[in-house]
Amino acid sequence: MDHVLIGILAVILVMVGLLLLSLRFTRNVLHPAERIVNWLMSAAVSTHWYIVITLTWKLIEYNKELPVLFILVLNRIFLIPSLTVWVIYGWFHRKWTIPQKAVVTAWWFLPVFGAEYLLHTLGLTEYHRWNQAAMLADALTMLGASLAFAWFFRRLLLREGECP
Amino acid sequence: MNLPSRFDANEWFILAATVLIYTVILFMPRRFPLSQSLYIWVFNLFLANLVDYVIATKPLDLYDVNDGPDYELFDLLLYLLLYGPAAYVIIYFYDRWKPKGWAAALYVTGWALITIVLEWLAVMFRVYQFHAWTHLYSIPSYIALYTLNLAMFRLLRSLYAKKPGA
């Protein structure tokens, strides 16, 4: 089991590294401050929501080993926020059409749900009353809050004369 | 969201500290654009969530916040209302006095020591219940957190002259 955990941890670390590096390519649309602040906000919302789901409602129980906790934290704090910044990039892109923006958003759900199912399939998380509707509500809340904040933050930057 | 099991000292402490810190902040002359103040709040919301999730839950479970291990309304209020404004005050005076070198180190250490006193008070009021954590661990932790806060704020400010695509 330890080898499996270390393997997953390594894969997630590589993915996180690549995703963080890829955020450089969002600079033609997003202000540098926007990239940082939106990433932080998405990470805060995602972790906060996960704390509520696991500690308060106890809908998901996770294996109480340190590597498992690190995998969950990396998923919630680095993987999901980095993907969310890409969705925000898509939404703020002036040349992209509504269907293109919808496709980018749809792509966001694949790794987010995929990671959840992968952790469950590997036996790292156990579901109690946690189903696909709850998973969808969780994802939509995270995405909705992040996009609303991103929109608000862009308004602020525009007012301060910082955005294009 | 769970409500507190009993509304007692820890809840009153959080409410009183919130009123106190916002009184201080609202009477300070405005120094940063709103977006930068918002960044300070978001960054500390993120840090508090991350740190508490990693070290205050199992397997490490070094301390509990408020009435127990469960996440409740006043945990949320602590994150939303207190950590960000406290960091704002530290960054505010750093930006105003602009300490350099040893003065900057002294500034951060001084705030860390003030925070230890406040933390001791918070423990008395049962806002934190330490299991394997001690105030001694808090000193380097606060120094690291405040240094990170100041470094990140300087980084963010340096980005403000730049425009996308530049």
Side-chain angles (χ1 to χ4, degrees):
Chain A
M1 188 65 179
D2 280 351
H3 290 92
V4 176
L5 286 180
I6 291 166
I8 301 169
L9 205 56
V11 169
I12 290 192
L13 275 172
V14 171
M15 281 169 65
V16 163
L18 290 174
L19 264 170
L20 287 176
L21 278 175
S22 76
L23 293 183
R24 280 182 62 83
F25 299 105
T26 61
R27 65 184 164 182
N28 59 332
V29 171
L30 298 178
H31 188 282
E34 268 184 313
R35 275 187 285 169
I36 295 177
V37 176
N38 288 330
W39 186 88
L40 286 170
M41 188 61 184
S42 171
V45 171
S46 134
T47 330
H48 178 81
W49 213 206
Y50 204 64
I51 292 173
V52 173
I53 290 165
T54 53
L55 296 185
T56 307
W57 294 335
K58 297 181 175 61
L59 299 177
I60 299 177
E61 201 177 313
Y62 53 85
N63 191 327
K64 301 286 186 291
E65 285 180 51
L66 212 49
V68 176
L69 184 71
F70 283 142
I71 289 168
L72 295 175
V73 166
L74 281 172
N75 179 36
R76 286 274 163 169
I77 286 187
F78 290 102
L79 213 63
I80 293 178
S82 307
L83 292 166
T84 309
V85 172
W86 271 110
V87 175
I88 292 167
Y89 169 87
W91 278 64
F92 284 162
H93 204 296
R94 289 205 180 93
K95 288 181 184 161
W96 287 10
T97 59
I98 300 283
Q100 283 174 322
K101 291 175 194 224
V103 167
V104 172
T105 312
W107 269 98
W108 179 85
F109 284 94
L110 288 180
V112 170
F113 283 1
E116 285 248 14
Y117 277 123
L118 183 68
L119 296 174
H120 183 59
T121 308
L122 291 168
L124 305 184
T125 55
E126 200 180 309
Y127 294 163
H128 303 284
R129 294 179 291 123
W130 183 254
N131 50 34
Q132 290 184 29
M135 206 185 282
L136 186 67
D138 169 36
L140 285 175
T141 314
M142 282 192 296
L143 193 61
S146 301
L147 288 175
F149 178 82
W151 178 83
F152 174 68
F153 195 73
R154 177 154 279 214
R155 296 285 114 198
L156 269 184
L157 286 178
L158 277 169
R159 214 173 64 180
E160 291 162 8
E162 273 294 328
C163 259
Chain B
M1 182 67 59
N2 289 353
L3 292 173
S5 48
R6 276 183 309 153
F7 196 94
D8 49 19
N10 56 321
E11 283 81 15
W12 279 113
F13 182 89
I14 291 171
L15 291 178
T18 304
V19 171
L20 189 75
I21 193 108
Y22 280 95
T23 307
V24 171
I25 285 178
L26 293 175
F27 278 93
M28 283 173 10
R30 199 169 141 185
R31 193 165 186 89
F32 311 126
L34 194 56
S35 63
Q36 290 177 11
S37 305
L38 193 62
Y39 152 79
I40 296 171
W41 179 77
V42 172
F43 183 58
N44 284 280
L45 182 67
F46 162 78
L47 270 185
N49 262 328
L50 172 64
V51 172
D52 279 357
Y53 190 50
V54 173
I55 68 174
T57 62
K58 284 177 183 171
L60 293 176
D61 198 17
L62 300 180
Y63 55 88
D64 277 342
V65 181
N66 286 317
D67 293 334
D70 287 352
Y71 191 67
E72 52 145 289
L73 177 67
F74 274 79
D75 293 11
L76 176 67
L77 294 183
L78 193 64
Y79 292 133
L80 292 181
L81 300 177
L82 275 179
Y83 294 137
Y88 177 87
V89 172
I90 294 167
I91 293 171
Y92 183 96
F93 286 108
Y94 175 83
D95 190 60
R96 187 170 163 179
W97 295 332
K98 296 185 173 45
K100 301 258 186 308
W102 283 105
L106 211 65
Y107 180 81
V108 170
T109 312
W111 274 111
L113 293 175
I114 292 170
T115 316
I116 295 291
V117 175
L118 293 173
E119 187 186 79
W120 174 80
L121 214 60
V123 171
M124 290 286 139
F125 279 83
R126 297 187 66 77
V127 175
Y128 303 109
Q129 292 155 56
F130 291 168
H131 303 154
W133 190 261
T134 70
H135 293 296
L136 204 63
Y137 300 156
S138 298
I139 300 173
S141 309
Y142 286 131
I143 290 175
L145 286 176
Y146 294 157
T147 307
L148 188 65
N149 251 296
L150 295 175
M152 281 295 290
F153 187 72
R154 286 182 61 161
L155 169 75
L156 186 94
R157 278 206 134 173
S158 72
L159 298 174
Y160 261 63
K162 290 181 189 168
K163 301 277 187 280

